[in-house]
Amino acid sequence: MSGRVLSVASECVPLVKTGGLADVVGALPAALAPLGWDMRVLIPAYRALRPLIEGWSEVWWEEDLWGGEGRVYLGEIAGLQILALDAPHLYDRAGGPYAGAGGDWPDNPQRFAALSWIAARFAREGVEGWLPDIVHAHDWQAGLAPAYMAYHGGGTAGSVMTVHNIAFQGWAPATLLTDLRLPGSAFNSHALEYYGGISALKAGLVTADRITTVSPTYAAELMRPEFGMGLQGVIVERASVVEGILNGVDTAVWSPEAEPAHAYSAKAPAGKLAARAALCAEFGVDVPGPLAIVVSRLTDQKGIDLLPEALPEFIAAGGGVIVLGTGHAELEGAMQSLAHRFPGRVAVKIGYDEGLSHRLFQGGDAVLVPSRFEPCGLTQMYGLRYGTIPVVAAVGGLADTVINASPAALARGAATGVTFAPTDALALSQALRRLVALHADRKTWAKLVKNAMTQPVGWETSAQAYAALYEGLTA
Ligand code: ADP
Ligand code: GLC
């Protein structure tokens, strides 16, 4: 089967990224193309994109897009067909996609309503003869796309709402209902009303034909109050159309064989030692035991606050840690004080650095992901690929991708990492103790690394699941 999919999102690699959402949106088109699905990605033309789209062709003009005009430009980048929505009054700003120096943009509800509005128009009318069979909306920023299709007409297109993170719900006050072009009849708790206001994510969840999330475990977790964050009832109500499809990673980009320096593979792992030495030299650390890395947003979700309590014992046992991340100022400070407290064992780089993240996965022995919740998570999969053993909280996609090195799993030759529960400092300390013991046993460690590196973490299986989902909607 074949067809056309309009993917709607606020981020897409290589154009704009704040997290894994961008990786996934950027990877799906190439993963689905061989299966016959022609996917185009609709994203806002933020300031940084405007020079790029200058040479692209204008394919749409919208007169009234919340206070100004909008134009859509079609172009190709890195093999992706991008539809960039240029509405300078909404997107041409200094700062990130969601926030400027003063915090979140106050008109975020309208900014992403505009994106969703255009998606629904394309669903109805097509764009220059390209009429999508499916509109695939990602996270709350695209949540109103299925809603506009339901309330204003979506032609024959089916709709899919994918939850990458239910913590972000796109809440807006009820007074915006009319401004957001939503019918009064939808303002009830069975539709998009949420805590007295409007939730763009809930709107998508109640109106989309299908709901997916990015791992099977998270799909089940979302139905429970601890993880559903208020929307568990909605997910339960729609359980018959909810599916968890695990993310893959782009194995061309995340490939230890293809790194410019110190390349290595499962069969020829020697380069990893050289990469480790280079990394230690770069950061001025000397670590006799396992060298752990963290590459993460520094937020509550990621459990970064557990490190100050859990690490001292690990460091005393010979371990070391290099942290790369940005996020909450308090957590950034906590990481920096760890580095001061343990010079030569802990190093911290506050910032976002793609190149450095590759060097960390190459040279690290283990990657720590102590998340409180994790819809899928990508860094544990980069860890598998690079033989950088994942030490992860057993939640969401982390639980679905890492096989704990229990005696039984080790004996079977199936283990790929260390998992722990619950997400607290004690369980993390115990996991790190197990890591130290595994690392000290050279034969076991070599086997673990080999197992990790030979796990399939690409998109093949998941792309087939998405294709089957689309097929079910167009049949
Ligand atoms: P989330 O989307 O919740 O942040 P994921 O694990 O799905 O978590 O994706 C995070 C992505 O962002 C990964 O590609 C990771 O390598 C990258 N990343 C996070 N922080 C940094 C950083 N400081 N520098 C470079 N890459 C980072
Ligand atoms: C979100 C989640 C993360 C997931 C990513 C891509 O950012 O926090 O777990 O991997 O989306 O789906």
Side-chain angles (χ1 to χ4, degrees), residues 182-208:
L182 294 164
S185 60
F187 193 72
N188 68 78
S189 63
H190 296 290
L192 49 72
E193 185 272 330
Y194 191 62
Y195 287 100
I198 301 156
S199 159
L201 180 60
K202 184 177 175 188
L205 292 173
V206 296
T207 52

Side-chain angles (χ1 to χ4, degrees), residues 77-447:
I77 180 149
L80 300 170
Q81 294 293 315
I82 301 287
L83 291 155
L85 172 58
D86 185 36
H89 61 292
L90 299 174
Y91 308 127
D92 184 11
R93 300 176 185 182
Y98 318 118
D104 280 0
W105 304 113
D107 58 348
N108 274 345
Q110 293 89 340
R111 294 175 73 232
F112 294 105
L115 180 73
S116 302
W117 183 259
I118 294 294
R121 289 213 59 181
F122 287 178
R124 282 198 297 278
E125 296 160 52
V127 48
E128 299 226 313
W130 190 89
L131 183 71
D133 300 293
I134 308 281
V135 171
H136 189 158
H138 299 272
D139 272 352
W140 78 263
Q141 293 88 352
L144 290 182
Y148 289 142
M149 289 166 69
Y151 301 133
H152 296 270
T156 54
S159 57
V160 177
M161 179 79 235
T162 293
V163 180
H164 294 264
N165 193 335
I166 210 153
F168 304 105
Q169 305 182 337
W171 193 86
T175 47
L176 287 185
L177 195 69
T178 311
D179 182 39
L180 292 178
R181 305 178 185 172
L182 294 164
S185 60
F187 193 72
N188 68 78
S189 63
H190 296 290
L192 49 72
E193 185 272 330
Y194 191 62
Y195 287 100
I198 301 156
S199 159
L201 180 60
K202 184 177 175 188
L205 292 173
V206 296
T207 52
D209 296 318
R210 298 280 190 282
I211 296 170
T212 74
T213 187
V214 287
S215 69
T217 293
Y218 194 57
E221 286 171 346
L222 284 180
M223 304 197 188
R224 312 209 315 253
E226 313 91 277
F227 293 99
M229 299 196 175
L231 288 169
Q232 61 276 5
V234 181
I235 305 279
V236 167
E237 215 164 288
R238 301 223 60 206
S240 63
V241 297
V242 175
E243 184 180 351
I245 302 177
L246 206 58
N247 289 332
V249 304
D250 187 335
T251 49
V253 174
W254 295 98
S255 166
E257 299 88 341
E259 292 289 350
H262 315 303
Y264 60 91
S265 67
K267 282 197 187 118
K272 189 159 178 66
L273 280 179
R276 188 189 194 275
L279 185 65
C280 288
E282 180 178 349
F283 279 91
V285 294
D286 184 7
V287 182
L291 172 63
I293 62 160
V294 174
V295 178
S296 183
R297 291 186 289 120
L298 303 179
T299 66
D300 184 59
Q301 171 189 344
K302 302 293 180 179
I304 300 299
D305 54 301
L306 305 177
L307 296 180
E309 199 181 324
L311 286 186
E313 181 193 323
F314 176 60
I315 288 158
V321 186
I322 304 177
V323 178
L324 167 64
T326 71
H328 292 171
E330 205 176 294
L331 291 171
E332 292 182 352
M335 292 304 101
Q336 278 161 333
S337 14
L338 271 176
H340 285 128
R341 205 168 135 203
F342 299 107
R345 283 299 188 80
V346 178
V348 172
K349 167 91 190 276
I350 300 300
Y352 188 92
D353 187 336
E354 199 85 26
L356 174 57
S357 73
H358 278 254
R359 296 200 295 286
L360 288 169
F361 284 103
Q362 280 185 285
D365 296 313
V367 55
L368 309 185
V369 196
S371 305
R372 294 199 162 79
F373 66 95
E374 196 62 74
C376 180
L378 299 176
T379 59
Q380 83 281 12
M381 291 197 268
Y382 303 157
L384 291 174
R385 197 104 176 108
Y386 281 73
T388 306
I389 298 306
V391 177
V392 304
V395 294
L398 301 174
D400 290 336
T401 51
V402 179
I403 301 168
N404 185 41
S406 64
L410 282 170
R412 266 200 343 269
T416 60
V418 176
T419 69
F420 64 93
T423 303
D424 63 22
L426 179 64
L428 174 58
S429 305
Q430 286 165 346
L432 290 171
R433 216 177 285 161
R434 277 149 60 209
L435 179 72
V436 170
L438 287 166
H439 184 257
D441 177 350
R442 293 182 129 211
K443 246 177 100 184
T444 305
W445 185 259
K447 183 81 185 36

